[in-house]
Amino acid sequence: MNAYVLVAEDDVKQAEVIRRYLEREGHSSLVVHDGRAAIDEVRRRQPDLLVLDVMMPLVDGLDVCRVLRRECDVPVLMLTARSTEEDLLLGLDLGADDYMTKPYSPRELMARIRTLLRRTRAATAAAPDDPVLRIGALAIDPVRRTVALDGRQVVCTPGEFEILAAMAAEPERVFTRRQLLALTRGFDRYITERTIDVHVLNLRKKIEAVPRRPAYLQTVYGVGYKLIDGSRAR
C-alpha cells in the first residue's frame, strides 16, 4: 500500500519522526512547515493523504482544510494539541477525515494512516461495471467517487462520500449513527457518534435546497437518518 503522504507540521522534530515512520512502511513523503506551503503542494501534486497540524505559521491547519475542501477531496488526518470535543467537531466540520490529539503514539498514527489509506482505496477499487447510484436528482458514482445533483458536481469529503454512498445503496433504510460510524471510520477513543451529525449537517448544506427542511437526507428521530428521493418533495 505504498502512498505519497504530505506532512504539514511546523515542529521539525515531530515532522522528522513522522517522515521516518512513513519511510519504514514504504511510503514516500514530503514535509512542509507552514500552511501556505501545504496548500501549494496539494495543488501541485495531490497526495494520497495529508497529515495536517492545526497550529502552523502563515496559514493555520483549519484554514488549510477550509481552502482545500473547496478544491479537492484529499483525505486529511488532522493533528492538534487541542483536545476538546468542540475542537474535534470543528475540524471534522471543515472536512477533516480523522483527528488525533497530541501527544500521540507514532505507532497509533501509522495505524490511523493505514486505515485511512485502506478505506479510501477500497472505495475506489469497485468493479468498473458498478452502476451509478441514483436517488431522485442525486447521482453517486462509487467508482469515480463523484456526487452530482441535477448534473451539478457536489464536492464531498471522503467521509461524507462514504456516508452518502452507503445510504444510497439502500434508499429508505434507516441507519443509526452507530451503523454509519462503523461504516466510515470505526470506533476509537477520539471519535463519537456526534461525528455523524456533523457530516450529515455538511451534506445537507451541499445537497438540500433548504438544509433546515431536508428533502433527501432525513432525520428519523430517536433512531438516525435515511436517504429518500427528495425530488418528490419539489
Side-chain angles (χ1 to χ4, degrees):
M1 195 193 294
N2 293 344
Y4 169 50
V5 180
L6 176 61
V7 179
E9 166 65 79
D10 68 331
D11 185 315
V12 175
K13 291 183 179 179
Q14 289 270 5
E16 180 61 15
V17 169
I18 297 171
R19 187 191 66 78
R20 289 181 180 178
Y21 270 83
L22 287 168
E23 279 192 358
R24 291 178 191 175
E25 299 215 358
H27 302 306
S28 62
S29 64
L30 177 69
V31 173
V32 296
H33 299 297
D34 67 73
R36 187 173 298 163
I39 293 171
D40 290 344
E41 177 58 20
V42 172
R43 287 171 173 169
R44 186 185 72 83
R45 178 190 173 194
Q46 184 170 324
D48 296 302
L49 176 70
L50 170 60
V51 178
L52 178 64
D53 184 33
V54 170
M55 301 300 291
M56 286 192 302
L58 300 184
V59 182
D60 71 25
L62 295 176
D63 283 334
V64 170
C65 199
R66 184 181 290 111
V67 169
L68 292 179
R69 277 295 170 254
R70 300 188 193 119
E71 303 177 6
C72 66
D73 62 354
V74 58
V76 176
L77 194 164
M78 196 165 275
L79 306 176
T80 182
R82 301 170 179 172
S83 58
T84 68
E85 185 178 46
E86 288 72 22
D87 291 323
L88 182 153
L89 293 174
L90 176 58
L92 294 173
D93 186 50
L94 291 174
D97 298 282
D98 205 349
Y99 195 105
M100 287 194 71
T101 55
K102 299 179 179 180
Y104 54 81
S105 159
R107 292 177 63 187
E108 182 179 359
L109 175 62
M110 290 304 111
R112 297 288 192 93
I113 288 173
R114 285 194 298 271
T115 299
L116 261 179
L117 289 172
R118 189 181 305 116
R119 195 170 75 229
T120 303
R121 290 181 175 183
T124 58
D129 59 349
D130 279 356
V132 173
L133 302 170
R134 300 186 187 278
I135 310 294
L138 271 175
I140 298 98
D141 188 330
V143 177
R144 297 178 178 84
R145 290 180 63 80
T146 59
V147 178
L149 178 65
D150 285 327
R152 173 182 57 83
Q153 183 179 5
V154 178
V155 178
C156 295
T157 70
E160 291 165 2
F161 180 86
E162 286 157 13
I163 289 174
L164 199 58
M167 298 182 78
E170 298 184 72
E172 306 282 348
R173 173 186 167 182
V174 178
F175 289 83
T176 66
R177 292 172 178 83
R178 192 174 183 86
Q179 288 169 332
L180 291 171
L181 188 61
L183 284 169
T184 56
R185 59 171 41 83
F187 298 91
D188 58 52
R189 59 182 174 174
Y190 298 103
I191 305 299
T192 70
E193 292 180 21
R194 283 191 63 191
T195 301
I196 299 301
D197 296 330
V198 173
H199 284 320
V200 167
L201 285 173
N202 288 338
L203 280 168
R204 282 174 173 165
K205 293 174 185 176
K206 297 176 180 181
I207 68 173
E208 302 287 1
V210 184
R212 292 186 178 182
R213 296 199 299 274
Y216 284 98
L217 193 43
Q218 297 195 339
T219 300
V220 180
Y221 292 99
V223 184
Y225 301 100
K226 67 178 179 179
L227 187 67
I228 67 171
D229 182 352
S231 63
R232 299 174 186 170
R234 297 183 176 186

